[in-house]
């Protein structure tokens, strides 16, 4: 419930601060006194966009702050989802700066307007005559029926399963679309894959093949150089082996004369052993070196294949080609296994569809059961509100479509006159009739669900004194379970409030200001008497006012 409201520097309001109680509160005031200004300020708290022209003093910022007791509103989940700090005494503040910028805070935490609007809808329902058009929407009509049917749990379950179902359908459609595209590419991908598979690619083989190619392609030159090495090592007169052998013999003789030449002998002997090994290797290379044109052709062909594949796939290494091959294998495999994946997804959809059908069937059953009860309650209330021939014809029919709130299609028809044709509300009821129907619906809803604070803005416009008396009784009865405000011009309604506030204008230093005050019992008598008989109150008007208040 709204416990307090303060407004600074807004429209004709300089400074205003007021506390509210639970129950039924009345707001009265002459036409033009500023009731719409009060509602405008309250709307900013609920997330309405700010207007710089609303500043009373354009050089100062406007601050509007409201305090709500939300302990019974079950809003912890909402606060968590919107990342608000939860407090049972929640403070909402709006600031409009002279620059035109607007800021909003929930419990001193900055919030955006979209989030504030979500919260505002759960705190106050400002109901004016033009908002009765809400009545004509299918969504609202379903909300009324579902409140009576206690379908909230089933609907939450349905919405959760419907979200899963929609995701499954989306995934199924994506699979089918992917399959259609994949089939177009399948043959080409298979061709590319086969090329890479046939190439029998091995990491690091390019370097080995290139080295082998150079060796095979230059066999004669290699033979010539190996022959030269052989001659240099093994020539009988000047070969390295002959020279090193002679050198070793010299050092051996020196070693015979003195041990200090032992190192020279050992080094010469090691060199001879090394040269002998080198000679043997060269000899082996010569023996094993034969021209192999067939192998040269094979190596050349493999290198050309690899370079061609690199160019085709814009790859720089064998690793890149192997990675591309793996990707193609995956694509081809996915395409070839898509039928199985699609069948599995269809089975999941069918299973989820069966679950949704069961849930929506239960929702439909409960809706059908409460419709006669809703019809009787509404028609009974409307008799008291001066519509004795009002009749509703409400039906829910199951369809083959999963809607956001079940599979039902709703027909919510109305006739205001005896023997009249049933028609949609927006065609069958006038503005004043819609206001009374909305009041009837809200009063029924108040018995079944915790409604937010409701503010009726001149809902009684155009009704007679007796009907307004009944409207007042309904609002008073609603206030037993919720906080109700009524902005009214009718004394019959004003007299029924637990609290009474008056909006008025006054000139301060030749500047017009709007104010709001709480009326005590005697002040209420005067206010209601003026509503009855005008500013020149007669004794009968005062007596009538006292009678209404009693």
């Amino acid at each position: 419930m709204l416990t307090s409201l303060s407004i600074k520097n807004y429209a004709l309001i300089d400074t205003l601060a007021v506390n509210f109680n639970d129950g039924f509160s009345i707001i009265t005031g002459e036409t033009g006194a500023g009731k719409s200004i009060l509602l405008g300020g309250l709307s900013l708290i609920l997330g309405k966009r700010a207007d710089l022209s609303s500043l009373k003093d354009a050089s100062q910022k406007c601050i509007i702050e409201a305090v709500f007791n939300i302990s019974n509103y079950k809003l912890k989940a909402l606060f968590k989802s919107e990342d608000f700090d939860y407090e049972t005494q929640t403070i909402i503040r709006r600031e409009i700066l002279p620059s035109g910028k607007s800021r909003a805070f929930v419990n001193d935490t900055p919030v955006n307007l979209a989030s504030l609007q979500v919260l505002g809808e759960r705190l106050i329902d400002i109901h004016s005559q033009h908002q009765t058009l809400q009545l004509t929407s299918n969504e609202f009509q379903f909300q009324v029926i579902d409140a009576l049917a206690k379908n909230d749990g089933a609907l939450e379950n349905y919405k959760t399963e419907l979200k899963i179902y929609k995701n499954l359908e989306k995934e199924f459609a994506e699979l089918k679309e992917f399959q259609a595209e994949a089939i177009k590419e399948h043959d080409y991908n298979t061709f590319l894959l086969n090329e890479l598979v046939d190439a029998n690619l091995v990491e690091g083989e390019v370097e080995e093949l290139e080295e082998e190619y150079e060796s095979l392609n230059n066999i004669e030159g290699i033979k010539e150089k190996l022959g030269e090495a052989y001659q240099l090592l093994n020539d009988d007169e000047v070969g390295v082996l002959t020279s090193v052998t002679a050198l070793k013999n010299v050092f051996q003789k020196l070693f015979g004369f003195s041990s200090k030449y032992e190192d020279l002998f050992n080094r010469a002997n090691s060199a001879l052993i090394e040269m002998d090994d080198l000679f043997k290797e060269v000899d082996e290379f010569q023996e094993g070196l034969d021209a192999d044109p067939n192998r040269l052709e094979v190596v050349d062909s493999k290198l050309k294949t690899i370079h061609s594949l690199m160019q085709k796939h814009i790859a720089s290494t064998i690793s890149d080609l192997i990675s591309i091959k793996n990707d193609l294998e995956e694509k081809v495999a996915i395409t070839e296994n898509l039928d199985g994946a699609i069948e599995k997804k269809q089975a999941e959809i069918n299973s989820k569809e069966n679950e949704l059908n069961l849930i929506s069937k239960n929702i439909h059953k409960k809706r059908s059961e409460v419709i006669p009860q809703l019809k009787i309650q509404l028609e009974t209330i409307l008799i008291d509100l001066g519509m004795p021939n009002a009749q509703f014809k409400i039906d829910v029919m199951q369809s083959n479509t999963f809607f956001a709130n079940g599979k039902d299609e709703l027909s919510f028809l109305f006739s205001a006159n005896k023997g009249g044709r049933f028609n949609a509300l927006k065609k069958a009821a006038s503005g004043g009739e819609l206001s009374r129907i909305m009041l009837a619906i809200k009063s029924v809803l108040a018995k079944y669900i915790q409604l937010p604070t409701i503010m009726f803005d001149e809902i009684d416009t155009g009704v007679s004194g007796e009907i307004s008396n009944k409207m007042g009784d309904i609002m008073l009865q609603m206030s037993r379970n919720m906080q109700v405000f009524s902005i009214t011009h009718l004394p019959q309604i004003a007299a029924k409030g637990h609290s009474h506030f008056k909006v008025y204008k006054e000139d301060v230093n030749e500047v017009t200001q709007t104010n709001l005050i709480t009326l005590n019992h005697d002040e209420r008598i005067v206010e209601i008497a003026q509503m009855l008989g005008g500013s020149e109150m007669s004794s009968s008007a005062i007596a009538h006012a006292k009678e209404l208040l009693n």
Side-chain angles (χ1 to χ4, degrees):
M1 58 170 276
L2 177 65
T3 59
S4 68
L5 176 68
S6 67
I7 302 176
K8 294 180 181 178
N9 194 38
Y10 177 74
L12 296 179
I13 297 174
D14 185 29
T15 301
L16 181 152
V18 61
N19 295 321
F20 299 108
N21 300 316
D22 56 2
F24 189 24
S25 296
I26 299 297
I27 299 175
T28 59
E30 295 178 4
T31 301
K35 296 187 292 296
S36 61
I37 294 173
L38 186 68
L39 286 177
L42 198 55
S43 295
L44 288 175
I45 286 293
L46 305 180
K48 181 184 175 184
R49 293 203 169 275
D51 184 354
L52 187 58
S53 64
S54 300
L55 271 63
K56 187 174 189 293
D57 180 348
S59 67
Q60 302 293 321
K61 70 178 177 181
C62 161
I63 302 175
I64 301 175
E65 188 172 280
V67 181
F68 295 86
N69 182 336
I70 62 170
S71 55
N72 297 325
Y73 281 31
K74 298 178 181 177
L75 293 178
K76 285 185 179 179
L78 174 64
F79 271 65
K80 185 176 180 180
S81 67
E82 295 293 338
D83 201 22
F84 297 156
D85 291 330
Y86 180 82
E87 299 287 347
T88 54
Q89 294 292 322
T90 282
I91 301 171
I92 299 178
R93 186 171 80 256
R94 282 292 297 277
E95 296 180 358
I96 308 171
L97 306 180
S99 63
K101 290 184 178 179
S102 166
R103 300 187 298 187
F105 304 85
V106 174
N107 295 326
D108 285 329
T109 300
V111 300
N112 59 48
L113 285 192
S115 294
L116 186 58
Q117 287 169 2
V118 171
L119 176 59
E121 289 173 359
R122 302 287 294 274
L123 297 177
I124 299 185
D125 176 8
I126 297 178
H127 177 79
S128 56
Q129 194 173 73
H130 73 273
Q131 284 174 306
T132 51
L133 292 175
Q134 181 188 24
L135 261 179
T136 64
S137 79
N138 235 220
E139 183 182 0
F140 179 76
Q141 293 162 0
F142 267 121
Q143 287 173 3
V144 175
I145 295 168
D146 287 326
L148 270 68
K150 293 182 168 53
N151 266 335
D152 50 341
L155 283 169
E156 281 301 314
N157 188 22
Y158 174 85
K159 288 173 183 175
T160 300
E161 298 302 322
L162 181 64
K163 186 176 181 180
I164 297 171
Y165 176 76
K166 294 290 185 185
N167 285 335
L168 288 172
E169 282 196 317
K170 182 182 176 184
E171 290 167 5
F172 181 80
E174 288 172 350
L175 272 175
K176 293 289 285 184
E177 184 180 348
F178 180 77
Q179 185 186 45
E181 291 298 317
I183 288 171
K184 294 178 187 176
E185 298 177 4
H186 180 65
D187 291 343
Y188 182 57
N189 284 340
T190 303
F191 168 74
L192 293 176
L193 176 61
N194 289 336
E195 272 190 328
L196 290 167
V197 170
D198 292 343
N200 194 23
L201 302 168
V202 178
E203 289 271 8
E205 71 173 331
V206 171
E207 293 79 6
E208 294 176 7
L209 288 168
E210 286 176 343
E211 185 179 338
E212 186 180 0
Y213 176 82
E214 286 299 316
S215 178
L216 289 168
N217 197 43
N218 295 283
I219 192 75
E220 294 303 325
I222 293 170
K223 277 184 177 182
E224 183 182 335
K225 293 301 176 187
L226 285 173
E228 287 180 22
Y230 185 90
Q231 286 298 115
L232 286 169
L233 286 164
N234 199 37
D235 188 275
D236 291 337
E237 294 182 4
V238 294
V240 173
L241 283 172
T242 303
S243 299
V244 174
T245 300
L247 185 62
K248 186 193 87 162
N249 291 334
V250 170
F251 289 143
Q252 188 175 18
K253 288 177 181 180
L254 286 172
F255 177 39
F257 297 130
S258 173
S259 61
K260 67 181 181 181
Y261 301 112
E262 181 182 6
D263 183 54
L264 293 175
F265 168 75
N266 289 334
R267 287 163 65 186
N269 190 48
S270 294
L272 180 61
I273 293 169
E274 181 67 27
M275 289 301 104
D276 189 51
D277 285 343
L278 186 61
F279 169 73
K280 289 174 182 176
E281 246 183 276
V282 169
D283 190 41
E284 286 174 8
F285 276 133
Q286 276 190 314
E287 290 293 327
L289 197 64
D290 290 313
D292 189 349
N294 290 333
R295 178 59 185 166
L296 177 62
E297 187 178 344
V298 169
V299 171
D300 184 47
S301 175
K302 183 72 181 283
L303 282 171
K304 285 178 179 177
T305 297
I306 291 172
H307 288 130
S308 173
L309 289 170
M310 285 181 173
Q311 188 175 18
K312 177 182 284 189
H313 293 283
I314 316 175
S316 56
T317 65
I318 288 282
S319 295
D320 293 340
L321 286 177
I322 291 172
S323 178
I324 291 166
K325 178 177 76 74
N326 293 339
D327 288 343
L328 285 168
E329 282 176 339
E330 188 176 346
K331 286 181 180 178
V332 169
I334 288 172
T335 304
E336 291 174 350
N337 294 317
L338 272 177
D339 284 337
I342 288 171
E343 286 177 13
K344 183 180 176 183
K345 192 64 66 178
Q346 183 65 65
E348 290 179 38
I349 289 172
N350 293 342
S351 174
K352 192 58 61 180
E353 193 170 314
N354 289 336
E355 287 182 51
L356 283 170
N357 279 326
L358 286 173
I359 299 169
S360 57
K361 188 176 181 181
N362 181 47
I363 291 171
H364 171 81
K365 181 174 177 289
K366 291 167 77 175
R367 282 170 174 167
S368 300
E369 288 171 352
V370 300
I371 283 174
Q373 179 186 344
L374 173 63
K375 183 175 177 296
I376 291 169
Q377 289 189 62
L378 290 178
E379 290 174 357
T380 301
I381 294 169
L382 289 176
I383 289 172
D384 286 340
L385 294 179
M387 298 174 68
N389 298 314
Q391 284 184 294
F392 290 90
K393 188 175 182 181
I394 308 169
D395 291 299
V396 283
M397 296 77 66
Q398 281 199 299
S399 71
N400 294 319
T401 305
F402 290 118
F403 300 112
N405 61 350
K407 292 184 72 174
D408 290 336
E409 291 180 339
L410 175 63
S411 172
F412 202 106
L413 304 178
F414 176 73
S415 172
N417 304 306
K418 186 177 288 188
R421 290 177 58 190
F422 283 95
N423 215 329
L425 275 172
K426 60 184 176 183
K427 295 180 180 179
S430 66
E433 287 170 338
L434 281 175
S435 290
R436 281 178 271 180
I437 294 169
M438 178 61 94
L439 179 58
I441 287 175
K442 296 281 186 181
S443 69
V444 171
L445 282 176
K447 299 174 187 176
Y448 295 90
I449 58 174
Q450 177 66 54
L451 292 173
T453 293
I454 190 165
M455 185 168 287
F456 291 108
D457 180 19
E458 299 184 3
I459 194 173
D460 47 35
T461 300
V463 300
S464 66
E466 182 55 33
I467 301 304
S468 66
N469 191 48
K470 295 290 186 183
M471 292 180 88
D473 286 338
I474 291 172
M475 287 186 272
L476 180 61
Q477 186 177 22
M478 288 173 66
S479 72
R480 293 175 185 170
N481 302 313
M482 60 185 294
Q483 187 183 36
V484 179
F485 288 88
S486 177
I487 298 173
T488 183
H489 287 292
L490 297 179
Q492 292 87 348
I493 291 177
K496 294 183 185 294
H498 299 121
S499 304
H500 192 150
F501 302 89
K502 181 177 180 178
V503 181
Y504 67 96
K505 280 182 184 177
E506 62 177 346
D507 293 334
V508 179
N509 298 324
E510 299 185 355
V511 176
T512 302
Q513 294 184 0
T514 288
N515 265 310
L516 179 72
I517 58 168
T518 306
L519 301 181
N520 61 30
H521 183 73
D522 290 340
E523 289 168 335
R524 288 188 75 183
I525 292 173
V526 173
E527 176 70 8
I528 292 170
Q530 288 178 337
M531 293 172 76
L532 286 163
S535 57
E536 295 182 7
M537 293 177 294
S538 63
S539 56
S540 62
I542 291 174
H544 191 187
K546 289 179 179 179
E547 184 182 348
L548 287 174
L549 280 169
N550 291 331

